[in-house]
Amino acid sequence: MLNKLKLSIITVVKNDRQNIEKTILSVISQNIELEYIVIDGGSIDGTLDIINKYEDKIDILISEKDDGIYDAMNKAVKLASGKWICFMNSGDTFFNQNSIKELFEKADKKADIIYGDNEIRYLNKSKIIRGKKIGKIWQGMVFSHQSCFVKKEILVLQPFNIKNAITADYELFYNLYKNKYVFNYVSVIVSSISAGGVSDIKRIDSIVSRWNILPKSFKINVYYLNLIICEMMKIVVKLFIKRVKS
């Protein structure tokens, strides 16, 4: 069954010479047949030199200006020939060489979206984040998009909203859930990602962006107001500590 699956892994990158190689090595070392697509946003820092070292392992490589990460991801979807698509962008990796194989050995392939767990890497530590039940998606992402595979036909019909620069992935998955697409959680650690992404850095902007996507209700409003207040308190505490130390 695994040999009959067609999987497309997509890496989007721009000016990330420091991290792109570990992502490429992670993808091409997977113990399963796959298609690999790399979309470069017109890097000028030497990223392309590193990518070109592995050109014989990359099925499709495009380097040109785009309108941001989600525009590049939509572009890649149209080029992919796989039934299933996973986005493993620069700086992130699969957890080990058997991550994809283990996921699909346990997955329900009749599902529309298959997702697992992920590792988050901090400066001096790492921790495993387990995927949550899809019914909790109103509270935020219940899985990392690096740990999920989506059927290509779905991503063609419902591309990422490039006007949503921070949480277009959340918007997509929430809409898929709302429209009754079938999600299948598998207890496998799929990806390893670095803390400090756009939504990590702009925490309040990310929370507000997710809140705007959701229908308004008392429960949702209270939940998101509480998140914002907590984030603001963290900022105040950090500023206070910094002032005391100075």
Side-chain angles (χ1 to χ4, degrees):
M1 187 67 173
L2 284 173
N3 292 333
K4 295 180 180 179
L5 288 172
K6 182 68 173 179
L7 309 173
S8 295
I9 310 300
I10 294 168
T11 294
V12 171
V13 60
K14 183 178 180 181
N15 293 331
D16 194 19
R17 187 178 188 279
Q18 183 177 358
N19 294 304
I20 184 61
E21 189 164 32
K22 67 181 179 183
T23 300
I24 292 174
L25 290 171
S26 169
V27 173
I28 65 178
S29 67
Q30 286 297 296
N31 290 325
I32 190 169
E33 184 178 348
L34 52 83
E35 174 186 61
Y36 192 25
I37 300 171
V38 177
I39 306 294
D40 174 72
S43 294
I44 57 174
D45 70 337
T47 294
L48 271 174
D49 294 332
I50 296 173
I51 294 172
N52 286 330
K53 286 169 53 180
Y54 303 96
E55 60 181 348
D56 61 323
K57 304 291 185 181
I58 298 171
D59 297 283
I60 299 174
L61 169 60
I62 292 179
S63 180
E64 62 186 19
K65 290 184 178 180
D66 52 51
D67 291 325
I69 187 171
Y70 294 113
D71 179 46
M73 290 163 75
N74 287 338
K75 183 191 303 182
V77 167
K78 295 176 183 177
L79 297 171
S81 62
K83 178 180 179 180
W84 296 94
I85 291 177
C86 174
F87 296 95
M88 188 58 65
N89 294 334
S90 184
D92 301 321
T93 66
F94 288 105
F95 188 67
N96 60 45
Q97 293 180 326
N98 293 305
S99 296
I100 301 176
K101 185 178 180 182
E102 291 175 4
L103 180 74
F104 275 92
E105 282 177 343
K106 298 179 180 180
D108 178 0
K109 298 162 195 74
K110 294 180 181 178
D112 301 305
I113 302 97
I114 298 168
Y115 67 97
D117 308 319
N118 66 277
E119 175 189 56
I120 295 185
R121 304 187 308 273
Y122 299 92
L123 285 176
N124 300 311
K125 64 177 182 177
S126 64
K127 66 178 179 179
I128 303 300
I129 306 296
R130 301 294 176 183
K132 299 177 183 177
K133 292 181 180 180
I134 193 61
K136 292 185 177 292
I137 197 169
W138 65 272
Q139 296 178 352
M141 283 291 282
V142 295
F143 55 86
S144 166
H145 78 247
Q146 295 93 330
S147 289
C148 82
F149 281 78
V150 185
K151 286 181 177 176
K152 174 185 172 174
E153 61 194 57
I154 296 173
L155 293 173
V156 170
L157 291 173
Q158 301 198 45
F160 293 99
N161 176 11
I162 63 173
K163 294 181 180 179
N164 183 350
I166 301 177
T167 59
D169 51 348
Y170 176 74
E171 181 178 358
L172 170 72
F173 291 118
Y174 178 77
N175 286 335
L176 294 181
Y177 167 73
K178 185 174 65 175
N179 290 316
K180 309 298 183 183
Y181 284 90
V182 179
F183 288 75
N184 174 218
Y185 166 67
V186 181
S187 183
V188 169
I189 305 171
V190 181
S191 67
S192 177
I193 63 178
S194 300
V198 172
S199 55
D200 284 338
I201 296 168
K202 299 181 178 180
R203 288 291 299 165
I204 293 179
D205 289 346
S206 177
I207 292 167
V208 172
S209 180
R210 293 200 309 270
W211 189 7
N212 287 335
I213 291 164
L214 298 167
K216 299 301 176 283
S217 70
F218 179 78
K219 180 173 74 171
I220 289 174
N221 290 345
V222 168
Y223 179 82
Y224 278 87
L225 281 170
N226 182 61
L227 286 182
I228 291 170
I229 291 169
C230 288
E231 288 301 320
M232 293 178 69
M233 288 179 65
K234 289 178 186 177
I235 293 171
V236 170
V237 170
K238 287 179 181 178
L239 289 173
F240 176 77
I241 293 173
K242 185 177 179 180
R243 185 171 181 179
V244 168
K245 287 182 176 180
S246 62

